[in-house]
Amino acid sequence: MSKKLDIIGRNIMIDIIGHIKGVPAKVDTGADSSAIWASNITVNKEGALQFTLFAEGSKYYTGEVIKRKAFRAAAVRSSNGHEQIRYRVEMPVKIAERRLRVGFYLSDRTLNDFPILLGRRLLNKKFLVDVSVKEYRPKPKEKRGIYEEMIKDPYAFHKKYYQNDK
């Protein structure tokens, strides 16, 4: 007999327990793992990973420095084939009234509509995804006129949009 799974939509509001409530997350059945927007990512002299969730300018940014002794590093390949090293931490979250520990890769999600991405490893055997359900609708982005911006100042354009590995 199979266990009844909670049904969630293609995006959902989640709580990062102990840090912030009501953060929009994109549910992505095509992504293997989950990711969360982090900034100021460093490893201190004691070997602890330090980071802040989100970044200045985000309405979810609190400036709180989070430290983790337990973390991992992995080479992560994006859908366009670009590979970079990312740190992975576990965070307690609340999704659809369920409390879970989720492994998140820390990444810069500045240009993404959603600051959190929920992948298959989290969803598997816990949730069914109904793509007709939306809990959160992101504000439409302003049309950037990206070509015009590049022509105007190619150097500034490159600094703004091109993501180099660090």
Side-chain angles (χ1 to χ4, degrees):
M1 194 153 126
S2 65
K3 177 180 150 187
K4 184 172 173 153
L5 304 177
D6 292 320
I7 298 173
I8 60 174
R10 65 182 183 233
N11 54 53
I12 188 166
M13 299 296 271
I14 72 170
D15 299 340
I16 312 297
I17 297 171
H19 300 286
I20 191 163
K21 292 183 177 188
V23 181
K26 176 182 179 181
V27 177
D28 188 348
T29 60
D32 185 47
S33 53
S34 299
I36 191 165
W37 183 7
S39 59
N40 307 314
I41 302 167
T42 61
V43 175
N44 66 24
K45 290 182 181 180
E46 292 79 39
L49 180 70
Q50 295 181 176
F51 60 95
T52 54
L53 290 177
F54 319 110
E56 287 186 47
S58 165
K59 70 180 186 178
Y60 307 105
Y61 179 75
T62 65
E64 174 191 8
V65 176
I66 299 171
K67 295 180 183 178
R68 291 283 193 274
K69 280 275 192 189
F71 63 94
R72 292 183 164 174
V76 176
R77 186 180 313 272
S78 66
S79 60
N80 65 8
H82 185 71
E83 188 174 87
Q84 61 182 192
I85 300 297
R86 290 198 187 149
Y87 293 107
R88 183 177 182 271
V89 297
E90 287 197 358
M91 305 276 298
V93 299
K94 185 175 174 187
I95 302 171
E97 301 305 316
R98 290 185 64 176
R99 295 173 66 99
L100 304 162
R101 285 197 69 75
V102 178
F104 287 105
Y105 283 102
L106 304 180
S107 66
D108 179 358
R109 295 187 56 81
T110 305
L111 299 177
N112 298 82
D113 287 337
F114 293 89
I116 298 174
L117 179 95
L118 303 177
R120 286 191 311 267
R121 287 184 192 175
L122 163 67
L123 303 170
N124 190 30
K125 298 181 182 173
K126 294 176 193 79
F127 300 102
L128 288 176
V129 180
D130 181 347
V131 297
S132 69
V133 176
K134 285 192 287 188
E135 186 173 314
Y136 174 81
R137 184 183 312 262
K139 293 178 184 173
K141 290 184 178 180
E142 293 177 21
K143 292 190 177 180
R144 296 185 211 172
I146 201 156
Y147 178 74
E148 290 79 11
E149 187 177 349
M150 184 195 66
I151 295 300
K152 185 176 179 181
D153 186 346
Y155 179 76
F157 176 87
H158 178 78
K159 295 291 271 181
K160 183 177 179 180
Y161 294 109
Y162 187 75
Q163 305 286 325
N164 285 322
D165 287 336
K166 293 182 181 179

